[in-house]
């Protein structure tokens, strides 16, 4: 039984694929009479099955060595494509998180999309995401990881573009696809370049190879940078971060999944690639730089947003930046812990704000307010999410950040200061959002805002329970760092940064002493962050401008020069026909002259040698 | 007297015929030029027959044929000229350029 459950672990992605295919049946084009709701129920059932399978398999794999499974895909010309699967506690745990969060997000979606007809498409895509992420968790090959990332990129495009009759959705889906695609294509370059060097795409073998590899440092740097670009786009890191902001146009239930796990797919690949990236110090420095910039920039932008969903999405970028820092300093365990705690807390935050948006319609923070007394559940869930995300003991985020800070202190102390800053700013940003939504007096949009019905509230509360229990779960799995060996000063510093950040946020926004909206004395700085560092303009004036003009120029060249050259041949023959027809003058005598001249010419050419002899 | 001189005279006569053929505006003069050219040919034939083939004199037989054919051709040519003249009231070659491009 034990072996059976572990050996059939590959079924986990398949369940949801079956659900995805099945839900197409209920699309409004096919079933015209009975509606699309069964699509949601079927997918929920399939996800539940996958969750139960993961849950049952997890204890069996716990504290057992990882098992390998491999499926031969195809062989061609000496190149063998096998899909290696790794069955270990870590991969099953990842699939447990994915399926669990997807289960909750689907229940939430059944409630949230009550008034929507597009269940079939929505749930099929959600199932595709789940299948993709589970297979990414199990798949132990860089090549197949890349393939799955690409499929997920397509999934993101379709998912963000769910309500495609809205113009902002269309542009958002476009940007999400193209930005992630660019990163993926660089990743493909890296994937292709690593094969001749290492001779394998298997993550384990790559790590083994990297231990003893002696390659040209420039090559290592270039390959490392290419491998870094994929996760950079996936994790919405600077400067490929705009897509996540625009992807907030998608439906909230998919946002739960995206903010918590989908962006973490990039981090997962990055963590797996850490031994390779460590070959080049330049790459590590780049990772840390990108992560630090994104972490600080993302939190500052998040503070300046007035849209609930966008404010949270920049927090996601910032936390993925922290994961980058963790990977850049070689702390993969801390990175994994951070991904886990961030996934639960962030999903809870998105669920809570989504539940506010569902009943208050507006997403504008300046139009919300005074919901605490009437929306206690959502408010509590939000607060627990905040506690789980920032460094507040005993919740999950604290342990992850503490582990990270502890590891950083020995090597790069300045990163600890950055961590404290990001933690404090995130606390401030989240408390600001809390204050604007729940504190103060009700605004016109929130005069009458009832708590949501059970389908929305139940998954939220279950997730709140999970977030609260995360430390206990980690402790029972012996994943928490022991208190004795940890740097307790560091813990105090982290707690202080959370308390100061959150405290200032609470004083400014929960307390009513300061008039809103708050204007900074430096208005330019405020708009600079509110418009996410003018990234759209930056894109439009750099990359988009260049590509646009290059394509216009190419198009012009194609139309005028290439087509023109070919058309010129036709024109020349047309023109020569038109011009040469005048040689048919209609004069009989002219024809006779032509005949005579022709004969004379032929005679001359035939007797040319004779003529030459006569002349000399 | 040598063969070449006959040939040169015949060639000169042929060239004069060609000049008249290409340059005349009067259709009858064109026919006359054709006659000149045919006579140049006849001269050639006669000269070759005399100098190169004095026994069988095939050239002279050819010449008789050419004269006969030239007479018939001139008759048909004049008939054509008359036919055109009836329709168009002129024998100017420059007026007969209807069949162009």
């Amino acid at each position: 039984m034990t072996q059976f459950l572990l050996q059939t672990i590959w079924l986990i992605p398949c369940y949801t694929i079956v659900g995805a295919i099945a839900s197409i049946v209920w699309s409004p084009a096919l079933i015209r009479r009975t509606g699309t709701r069964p699509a949601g129920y079927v997918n929920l059932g399939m996800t539940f099955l996958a969750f139960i399978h993961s849950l049952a398999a997890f204890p069996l794999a716990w504290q057992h060595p990882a098992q390998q499974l491999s499926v031969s895909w195809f062989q061609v010309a000496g190149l063998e494509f096998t899909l290696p699967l790794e069955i270990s506690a870590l991969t099953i745990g990842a699939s447990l998180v994915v399926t669990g969060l997807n289960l909750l997000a689907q229940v939430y979606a059944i409630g949230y999309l009550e008034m929507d007809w597009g269940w079939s498409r929505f749930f099929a895509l959600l199932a595709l995401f789940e299948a993709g992420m589970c297979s990414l968790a199990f798949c132990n090959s860089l090549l197949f990881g890349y393939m799955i990332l690409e499929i997920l990129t397509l999934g993101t495009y379709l998912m963000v573009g769910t309500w495609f009759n809205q113009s902002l959705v269309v542009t958002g889906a476009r940007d999400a696809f193209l930005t992630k695609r660019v990163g993926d294509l660089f990743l493909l370059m890296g994937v292709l370049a690593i094969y001749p060097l290492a001779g394998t795409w298997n993550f384990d073998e790559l790590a083994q190879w990297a231990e003893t590899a002696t390659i040209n440092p420039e090559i290592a740097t270039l390959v490392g940078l290419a491998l870094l670009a994929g996760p950079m786009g996936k994790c919405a890191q600077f400067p490929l971060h705009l897509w996540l902001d625009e992807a907030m146009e998608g439906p909230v239930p998919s946002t739960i999944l995206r903010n918590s796990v989908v962006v973490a797919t990039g981090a997962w690949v990055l963590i797996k690639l850490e031994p390779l990236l460590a070959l080049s110090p330049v790459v590590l420095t780049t990772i840390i730089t990108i992560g630090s910039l994104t972490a600080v920039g993302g939190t500052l932008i998040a503070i300046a947003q007035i849209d609930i969903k966008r404010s949270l999405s920049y927090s996601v970028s910032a936390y993925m930046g922290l994961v980058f820092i963790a990977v850049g300093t070689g702390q993969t365990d801390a990175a994994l812990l951070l991904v886990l705690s961030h996934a639960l807390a962030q999903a809870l935050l998105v669920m809570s704000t989504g539940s506010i948006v569902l009943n208050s319609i507006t997403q504008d923070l300046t139009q919300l307010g005074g919901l605490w007394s009437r929306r206690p559940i959502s408010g509590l869930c939000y607060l627990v999410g905040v506690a789980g995300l920032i460094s507040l003991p005993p919740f999950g985020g604290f342990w992850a950040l503490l582990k990270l800070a502890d590891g950083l202190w020995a090597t790069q102390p300045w990163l600890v200061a950055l961590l404290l800053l990001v933690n404090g700013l995130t606390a401030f940003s989240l408390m600001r959002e809390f204050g604007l939504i729940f504190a103060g007096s009700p605004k016109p949009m929130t005069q009458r805002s009832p708590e949501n019905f059970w389908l929305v509230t139940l998954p939220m509360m279950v997730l709140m329970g999970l977030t609260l229990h995360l430390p206990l779960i980690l402790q029972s799995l012996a994943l928490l760092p022991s208190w004795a060996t940890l740097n307790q000063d560091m813990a105090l510093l982290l707690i202080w940064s959370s308390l100061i950040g959150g405290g200032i946020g609470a004083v400014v926004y929960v307390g009513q002493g300061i008039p809103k909206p708050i204007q900074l004395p430096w208005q330019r700085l405020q708009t600079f962050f509110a418009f996410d560092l003018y990234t759209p303009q930056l894109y439009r004036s750099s990359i988009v401008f260049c590509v646009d003009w290059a394509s216009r120029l190419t198009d012009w060249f194609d139309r005028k020069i290439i087509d023109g050259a070919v058309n010129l041949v036709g024109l020349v023959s047309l023109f020569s026909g038109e011009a040469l027809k005048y040689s048919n003058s209609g004069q009989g005598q002219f024809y006779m002259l032509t005949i005579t001249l022709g004969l004379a010419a032929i005679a001359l050419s035939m007797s040319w040698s004779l003529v030459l002899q006569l002349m000399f | 007297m040598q063969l070449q001189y006959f040939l040169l005279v015949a060639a000169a006569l042929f060239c004069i015929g060609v000049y008249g053929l290409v340059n005349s505006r009067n259709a009858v003069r064109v026919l006359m030029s054709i006659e000149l050219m045919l006579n140049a040919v006849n001269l050639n034939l006669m000269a070759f027959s005399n100098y190169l083939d004095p026994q069988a004199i095939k050239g002279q037989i050819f010449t008789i044929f050419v004269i006969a054919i030239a007479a018939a051709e001139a008759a048909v040519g004049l008939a054509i000229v008359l036919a055109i003249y009836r329709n168009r009231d002129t024998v100017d070659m420059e007026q007969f350029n209807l069949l162009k491009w």
Side-chain angles (χ1 to χ4, degrees), chain A residues 94-102 105 129-130 133 136 152 234-235 254-268 316 320 339-340 342-344 346-347:
Chain A
S95 83
L96 200 58
V97 174
V98 169
T99 50
L101 278 175
N102 202 30
F129 266 104
E130 189 189 340
M133 284 186 290
L136 184 69
L152 290 183
K234 279 279 164 196
C235 288
S254 67
T255 310
I256 298 172
L257 215 58
R258 180 171 328 104
N259 277 3
S260 52
V261 262
V262 176
V263 288
T265 53
W268 179 267
V316 172
M320 288 299 125
V339 167
L340 174 65
H342 170 260
L344 292 184
Q346 189 65 245

Side-chain angles (χ1 to χ4, degrees), chain A residues 54-323:
Chain A
S54 309
L55 197 62
F58 185 68
L60 304 178
W62 182 246
Q63 299 206 325
H64 287 284
Q67 296 184 31
Q68 306 287 339
L69 258 178
S70 74
V71 188
S72 182
W73 187 29
F74 70 89
Q75 281 173 294
V76 61
L79 207 59
E80 196 174 342
F81 289 94
T82 44
L83 167 60
L85 299 178
E86 185 185 296
I87 306 169
S88 67
L90 176 64
T91 59
I92 297 178
S95 83
L96 200 58
V97 174
V98 169
T99 50
L101 278 175
N102 202 30
L103 193 67
L104 296 175
Q106 283 184 347
V107 176
Y108 190 90
I110 288 176
Y112 197 93
L113 297 178
E114 186 70 45
M115 300 292 185
D116 193 283
W117 270 90
W119 282 34
S120 161
R121 200 151 44 91
F122 178 80
F123 279 95
L125 288 172
L126 219 51
L128 176 74
F129 266 104
E130 189 189 340
M133 284 186 290
C134 287
S135 27
L136 184 69
F138 289 122
C139 132
N140 197 23
S141 152
L142 180 57
L143 179 71
F144 287 92
Y146 163 75
M147 285 183 193
I148 295 164
L149 284 189
E150 284 281 41
I151 294 171
L152 290 183
T153 302
L154 176 67
T156 306
Y157 176 70
L158 297 171
M159 182 62 101
V160 175
T162 304
W163 295 318
F164 50 79
N165 57 351
Q166 300 175 15
S167 55
L168 283 178
V169 163
V170 178
T171 55
R174 176 200 65 191
D175 290 356
F177 184 73
L178 292 179
T179 315
K180 289 170 75 164
R181 198 73 228 284
V182 168
D184 283 346
L185 280 182
F186 276 103
L187 178 64
L188 178 62
M189 290 182 204
V191 169
L192 291 181
I194 203 72
Y195 193 82
L197 295 174
T200 175
W201 278 309
N202 189 310
F203 281 125
D204 295 335
E205 292 167 21
L206 282 176
Q208 276 173 13
W209 170 79
E211 274 174 23
T212 55
T214 48
I215 55 171
N216 189 340
E218 282 170 19
I219 294 177
T221 306
L222 286 175
V223 171
L225 287 178
L227 292 174
L228 172 64
M232 217 168 95
K234 279 279 164 196
C235 288
Q237 297 296 297
F238 280 5
L240 301 177
H241 63 284
L242 185 70
W243 73 268
L244 191 63
D245 174 271
E246 293 186 52
M248 293 300 118
E249 296 291 344
V252 173
S254 67
T255 310
I256 298 172
L257 215 58
R258 180 171 328 104
N259 277 3
S260 52
V261 262
V262 176
V263 288
T265 53
W268 179 267
V269 173
L270 194 73
I271 292 167
K272 290 246 181 187
L273 286 175
E274 198 273 336
L276 275 185
L277 301 173
L279 282 176
S280 160
V282 181
V283 175
L284 291 183
T285 320
T286 315
I287 298 180
I288 295 173
T289 315
I290 289 173
S292 320
L293 283 177
T294 314
V296 177
T299 40
L300 286 174
I301 295 173
I303 291 171
Q305 296 298 305
I306 58 162
D307 184 306
I308 302 187
K309 290 176 78 180
R310 295 203 148 86
S311 180
L312 285 181
S313 85
Y314 278 104
S315 289
V316 172
S317 283
Y319 263 73
M320 288 299 125
L322 294 186
V323 173

Side-chain angles (χ1 to χ4, degrees), chain A residues 588-610:
Chain A
Q589 286 166 303
F590 179 75
Y591 300 151
M592 290 172 204
L593 176 66
T594 317
I595 290 168
T596 317
L597 287 181
L599 284 174
I602 289 172
L604 197 65
S605 75
M606 285 176 76
S607 55
W608 185 246
S609 56
L610 199 67

Side-chain angles (χ1 to χ4, degrees), chain A residues 108 112 351-362 368-379 437-438 442-454 456-457 460:
Chain A
Y108 190 90
Y112 197 93
M351 275 190 183
S352 160
T353 50
S355 114
I356 299 292
V357 171
L358 180 58
N359 278 358
S360 306
I361 300 162
T362 182
L368 293 163
L371 288 176
W372 177 254
S373 56
R374 286 159 302 142
R375 306 289 299 269
I377 305 285
S378 300
I437 299 172
F438 293 101
K443 306 262 173 63
M445 291 301 281
T446 54
Q447 281 294 350
R448 284 176 288 278
S449 183
E451 194 62 272
N452 278 304
F453 71 134
W454 68 276
V456 173
T457 312
M460 201 161 82

